[in-house]
Amino acid sequence: MVKAKTLQTGHVGVNVTDLERSLAFYRAVFDFDVLAEGKEDERRWVFLGRDNRMLVTLWQQSTGSFPVDRPGLHHLSFQVETVEEVEATEEVLRGLGAEFAYDGVVPHGENATSGGLFFTDPDGIRLEIYAPTGADPADAPTPTAPTCGFF
């Protein structure tokens, strides 16, 4: 049996209720470029990415809000290089009126230096943006949870 020698996440597809609202949010927060778009009434979608690499697709094909109590996506996480980038994103999120799980950057574990922001998109989908270093070592928001602020 031949196994893949390298493996990485390609892109993540996200169902949204209002494509225009979600597109504005994801572009403002993550500075994504629109790589392609489908505008048919019953098949609205957009491919988002950077440097011609698709990272997220938004599909307008759902109603309601993100159910955190059902099997499926737990949260979607994005890594940046520095905690300053995380903090700059926090300013954008506050300007958009985003909902946060915690106030400001929190560490991934007890006295960890990696950490980030935990927030939701307009449909309640849980998102994280973090840096591998630079967070102030402090108590984690959930001491027994492994590297995640959504417990």
Side-chain angles (χ1 to χ4, degrees):
M1 177 174 168
V2 177
K3 293 185 179 181
K5 292 181 182 181
T6 61
L7 183 65
Q8 62 183 340
T9 302
H11 70 277
V12 176
V14 178
N15 284 336
V16 300
T17 59
D18 182 329
L19 187 64
E20 295 306 319
R21 177 183 70 176
S22 293
L23 175 58
F25 180 87
Y26 280 80
R27 290 194 75 199
V29 173
F30 300 109
D31 196 29
F32 284 140
D33 296 322
V34 174
L35 304 178
E37 197 169 2
K39 297 182 179 186
E40 298 173 33
D41 287 340
E42 298 301 314
R43 290 184 44 92
R44 299 198 60 221
W45 53 270
V46 63
F47 293 168
L48 301 173
R50 288 186 175 177
D51 301 321
N52 289 318
R53 180 173 177 244
M54 185 170 44
L55 299 168
V56 173
T57 61
L58 301 177
W59 302 89
Q60 183 174 298
Q61 59 184 26
S62 61
T63 59
S65 63
F66 182 71
V68 298
D69 62 343
R70 299 207 180 127
L73 179 72
H74 184 270
H75 74 286
L76 177 57
S77 177
F78 295 92
Q79 180 180 325
V80 294
E81 290 183 11
T82 67
V83 74
E84 289 80 18
E85 292 171 273
V86 175
E87 291 166 344
T89 303
E90 180 180 8
E91 289 183 37
V92 172
L93 289 164
R94 292 203 185 279
L96 293 170
E99 291 186 30
F100 292 87
Y102 307 98
D103 188 31
V105 175
V106 295
H108 280 134
E110 291 297 304
N111 296 309
T113 60
S114 67
L117 299 170
F118 298 88
F119 57 98
T120 59
D121 81 352
D123 287 302
I125 296 168
R126 298 186 298 191
L127 301 169
E128 170 188 8
I129 187 165
Y130 78 96
T133 61
D136 291 332
D139 293 339
T142 49
T144 59
T147 69
C148 179
F150 285 116
F151 281 91

